[in-house]
Amino acid sequence: MKKKEAYNCYTLNFKMPHLFREDLELLEKIIKEELKPKEYKLETEEFEYQEFKEISEDTETTSEFHIQTHSPYISIDFSNHDARLYADSDDLKTIGALKKIEEIIFRRERKTLWRISNLSMWSMVLIYLPQLLSIMFPKIGFKLVFILLLTFIVMVILWLFIGFRSFNNFSLIEFAYSKNKPNFFTRNKDQIILIIFGTIIGSLVTIIFQKIFN
């Protein structure tokens, strides 16, 4: 009789990463040199590759990209709706390599866009809030109900806008080097647009609130 070894896995979710060729090359280097898997493959929606150099620099940007190894089993999955790292082992050697992989991806997370996207998902709870408050507190007053309705409209617009811009674009994988891509403002136009949009909406709401209470 012998005691079975405990089975531990390792998983981590990322926040809307945007990776370039140099990042993907570093991921491959860490995997091959430190983990030395028996099997290693890369997948896009249309093709499967044995090593990264097979992928041309002019390959179209995608939101669907997968890195997978066996012995040890590791999957790094980028998709339209999430980005995740999974390993079937949490031994020291594997964890050491995974931490380096995480750092590379962490640096490329679009955290601002991720936070705004998550906040926008909660906007739908405001749908019935004005009606509910009016029933529960009949004397709540027209001004407060109006403010709640206005807030609801603003949040729905924001939710629709962000949904269109980012919900189906959670991960961005570019096969060209970042130095060969357009300038900072072009690369980050989604986040810049969202920040400007949020600032404008916030200013309008503030002005309306001041008009109501003055």
Side-chain angles (χ1 to χ4, degrees):
M1 181 178 70
K2 67 177 181 178
K3 185 178 180 180
K4 292 183 177 180
E5 292 184 9
Y7 179 82
N8 295 309
C9 62
Y10 183 89
T11 184
L12 180 69
N13 294 302
F14 298 102
K15 300 170 182 175
M16 302 187 75
H18 182 181
L19 274 66
F20 295 89
R21 191 173 191 88
E22 60 264 33
D23 305 311
L24 300 170
E25 288 177 341
L26 277 174
L27 295 181
E28 181 172 87
K29 182 178 180 181
I30 292 168
I31 290 170
K32 287 190 171 182
E33 292 183 359
E34 300 198 19
L35 295 173
K36 298 181 174 61
K38 291 183 179 179
E39 295 180 35
Y40 171 75
K41 66 178 181 179
L42 311 164
E43 290 182 281
T44 61
E45 289 182 284
E46 297 181 339
F47 299 100
E48 181 178 312
Y49 306 90
Q50 297 303 310
E51 53 186 346
F52 189 70
K53 68 180 182 181
E54 295 177 12
I55 306 178
S56 170
E57 275 195 64
D58 59 8
T59 301
E60 188 175 349
T61 299
T62 183
S63 290
E64 295 285 341
F65 186 68
H66 308 278
I67 302 173
Q68 192 175 97
T69 74
H70 288 276
S71 298
Y73 177 81
I74 293 171
S75 66
I76 308 173
D77 301 298
F78 302 101
S79 75
N80 281 327
H81 306 293
D82 63 10
R84 188 181 74 123
L85 167 65
Y86 173 85
D88 67 357
S89 173
D90 63 352
D91 63 86
L92 291 177
K93 178 183 176 182
T94 302
I95 292 298
L98 294 180
K99 290 299 181 183
K100 294 180 180 180
I101 289 170
E102 290 169 18
E103 285 302 314
I104 293 169
I105 302 175
F106 283 154
R107 290 198 299 266
R108 296 298 191 181
E109 287 182 326
R110 295 172 290 169
K111 293 183 178 68
T112 301
L113 187 60
W114 180 84
R115 291 189 187 102
I116 296 174
S117 298
N118 274 273
L119 286 173
S120 69
M121 294 177 68
W122 290 99
S123 66
M124 298 310 290
V125 303
L126 295 173
I127 291 177
Y128 299 108
L129 187 57
Q131 297 91 326
L132 181 62
L133 288 175
S134 296
I135 295 170
M136 293 176 64
F137 307 101
K139 296 181 181 180
I140 195 170
F142 170 77
K143 286 185 177 180
L144 184 54
V145 173
F146 176 78
I147 290 170
L148 291 171
L149 285 170
L150 180 64
T151 303
F152 162 69
I153 292 170
V154 170
M155 292 299 288
V156 167
I157 292 172
L158 184 61
W159 183 81
L160 292 172
F161 180 79
I162 294 174
F164 177 77
R165 300 293 298 181
S166 64
F167 284 169
N168 290 316
N169 199 21
F170 192 95
S171 304
L172 269 182
I173 305 298
E174 302 206 44
F175 298 105
Y177 292 105
S178 58
K179 65 182 180 181
N180 297 331
K181 298 301 292 183
N183 61 39
F184 172 84
F185 294 102
T186 304
R187 292 198 311 267
N188 297 280
K189 65 180 182 299
D190 281 349
Q191 297 189 65
I192 293 171
I193 289 172
L194 287 174
I195 292 171
I196 293 173
F197 182 81
T199 301
I200 294 171
I201 293 298
S203 300
L204 289 174
V205 171
T206 300
I207 292 170
I208 292 171
F209 283 5
Q210 290 175 343
K211 293 289 186 182
I212 291 173
F213 290 106
N214 288 337

